[in-house]
Amino acid sequence: MEALALERKAEQNRELRERLLQLKKERNAIILAHYYQRDEIQEVADFRGDSFLLAQKAAATDADVIVFCGVHFMGESAKILAPNKTVIIPDERAGCPMADMVNVDGLRKLKAEHPNATVVTYINSSAEIKAETDICCTSANAVKVVNSVEGDEVIWVPDKNLGHYVQQHTDKKMIIWEGYCNTHDMLTVKDVEEMKAKYPNAEFVVHPECRPEVVELGDFVGSTTAIIKYCKESKAKEFIVGTEDGTGYQLRLDSPDKTFHFASKYLVCPNMKVNNLKKLVRCLENMQPQIYVPPQIADKARLSLERMLQVK
Ligand code: 13P
Ligand code: SF4
């Protein structure tokens, strides 16, 4: 961008931030932003976090309005956990392709085939799927949740890569759905090997939504929050990062003296990037789009989320 255009954009953003502060006060709203959001959104959020932390914040807030900057299933989870709050999102087109890879009929069929299995569902799923679920999990607590359930058999939906990772850390037999995250699944062994050759002193940190053969190359494997924490505490000064590029915002904030190289230029979730500062201000102005979950679905789905929040 040219200097003049940059200056104009900075001025627009200043005005938008001022308007946002005013609206937040008027509506008694809090802004929750996932680490994969654009910097301009993370900058103005009351809480930044991974899926787990943001679900906890939504469940605990005393604000009247939750503005959820992430993808649709995250807004839905907030509404399910805080049914008396108004939950709005900047753009309802921000979906998660992985969440759409599992459907209720398919899951019911699997449940009928394995009547003794416990259904553990990754939070990246629709409210309807959560309503068919015994307990939810996020990438931060997936192993702990699977190991916490009774019985020897688990139906796992929808992420096959995270499912494979959990299977390495549990004796339970996992029946794994074939879904995946388009963004993380794109990272290949070749990408990582090339980066390792280019930055031989860097540690490779990787999200378990990546393919098993990529996860295997990790010096550290963990959820977005776990990766940020690990990088902050590690003695290493340089990292190759195997997760979505929005994570760079918090990585640089927490570890300003360290260098981060994203493992591929394709580690960008286009769905997360649908939201921007302008849409965030507009949604709070119009109080639209709002998340609605039919009460009969929400009541069942809430049990699976609350069970997850109770796992220590
Ligand atoms: P976490 O927030 O659990 O790290 O999950 C990553 C993700 O893909 C969210 O959509
Ligand atoms: Fe879905 Fe992957 Fe985007 Fe997360 S990063 S919202 S799992 S597509």
Side-chain angles (χ1 to χ4, degrees):
M1 249 196 255
E2 283 174 31
L4 200 64
L6 276 173
E7 183 48 42
R8 205 174 301 135
K9 169 106 173 119
E11 178 55 27
Q12 271 172 2
N13 280 2
R14 262 193 299 276
E15 285 169 15
L16 285 169
R17 281 196 294 269
E18 271 171 34
R19 180 75 185 122
L20 187 68
L21 277 180
Q22 195 187 351
L23 284 165
K24 251 178 59 169
K25 223 174 183 178
E26 278 170 31
R27 312 270 198 240
N28 186 24
I30 56 160
I31 299 172
L32 305 181
H34 192 271
Y35 286 134
Y36 298 170
Q37 291 292 283
R38 292 172 188 270
D39 289 5
E40 65 187 27
I41 287 190
Q42 294 200 53
E43 256 164 37
V44 297
D46 295 296
F47 295 103
R48 294 182 286 276
D50 66 357
S51 310
F52 184 65
L53 183 108
L54 297 178
Q56 281 181 319
K57 293 292 176 200
T61 185
D62 54 11
D64 296 320
V65 177
I66 299 171
V67 190
F68 210 116
C69 303
V71 287
H72 194 265
F73 76 79
M74 297 179 176
E76 261 187 0
S77 300
K79 180 68 186 172
I80 293 164
L81 285 166
N84 300 324
K85 313 279 176 193
T86 302
V87 179
I88 54 176
I89 52 177
D91 189 325
E92 58 195 343
R93 288 169 306 168
C96 169
M98 184 212 285
D100 296 337
M101 287 179 192
V102 54
N103 57 66
V104 169
D105 286 349
L107 177 54
R108 283 190 181 153
K109 187 165 171 277
L110 209 52
K111 283 164 74 169
E113 285 163 11
H114 303 275
N116 298 322
T118 304
V119 180
V120 182
T121 295
Y122 193 26
I123 198 166
N124 298 35
S125 52
S126 67
E128 287 76 10
I129 291 293
K130 290 186 177 82
E132 295 285 327
T133 291
D134 294 306
I135 184 165
C136 284
C137 71
T138 73
S139 62
N141 59 17
V143 172
K144 216 189 276 181
V145 166
V146 166
N147 283 326
S148 78
V149 304
E150 282 181 16
D152 306 328
E153 215 181 16
V154 162
I155 292 174
W156 169 272
V157 292
D159 185 3
K160 64 175 178 182
N161 291 339
L162 181 58
H164 182 276
Y165 175 74
V166 175
Q167 183 68 91
Q168 315 296 300
H169 296 87
T170 183
D171 293 332
K172 297 191 194 289
K173 177 174 182 280
M174 291 177 65
I175 300 136
I176 297 175
W177 194 267
E178 285 288 313
Y180 57 91
C181 162
N182 298 38
T183 303
H184 288 88
D185 192 68
M186 225 180 304
L187 187 64
T188 63
V189 167
K190 188 168 171 279
D191 293 329
V192 178
E193 280 173 349
E194 279 173 11
M195 290 298 278
K196 281 184 172 227
K198 204 164 163 193
Y199 304 107
N201 297 323
E203 286 193 333
F204 176 47
V205 291
V206 62
H207 196 285
E209 282 180 16
C210 291
R211 298 177 189 182
E213 64 273 23
V214 170
V215 170
E216 222 169 87
L217 300 176
D219 296 298
F220 177 78
V221 185
S223 72
T224 317
T225 300
I227 286 176
I228 292 165
K229 186 168 179 282
Y230 176 81
C231 292
K232 191 176 174 182
E233 290 169 1
S234 166
K235 285 197 177 70
K237 288 282 176 210
E238 204 178 1
F239 300 87
I240 299 163
V241 185
T243 191
E244 212 273 349
D245 95 321
T247 313
Y249 180 81
Q250 191 69 44
L251 283 168
R252 287 185 285 269
L253 264 187
D254 283 6
S255 308
D257 55 328
K258 300 188 178 181
T259 311
F260 300 97
H261 312 283
F262 279 81
S264 155
K265 65 177 180 192
Y266 299 112
L267 280 169
V268 179
C269 173
N271 313 286
M272 286 279 182
K273 295 328 192 227
V274 163
N275 299 328
N276 60 32
L277 184 58
K278 206 168 175 179
K279 291 180 190 174
L280 167 56
V281 174
R282 197 173 54 202
C283 84
L284 204 46
E285 209 142 37
N286 301 335
M287 293 297 286
Q288 290 290 344
Q290 281 190 26
I291 297 280
Y292 170 74
V293 184
Q296 67 277 20
I297 299 282
D299 289 346
K300 286 193 200 156
R302 189 172 308 115
L303 290 175
S304 65
L305 282 166
E306 284 178 349
R307 282 188 198 118
M308 169 188 83
L309 293 175
Q310 279 157 18
V311 173
K312 294 286 174 247

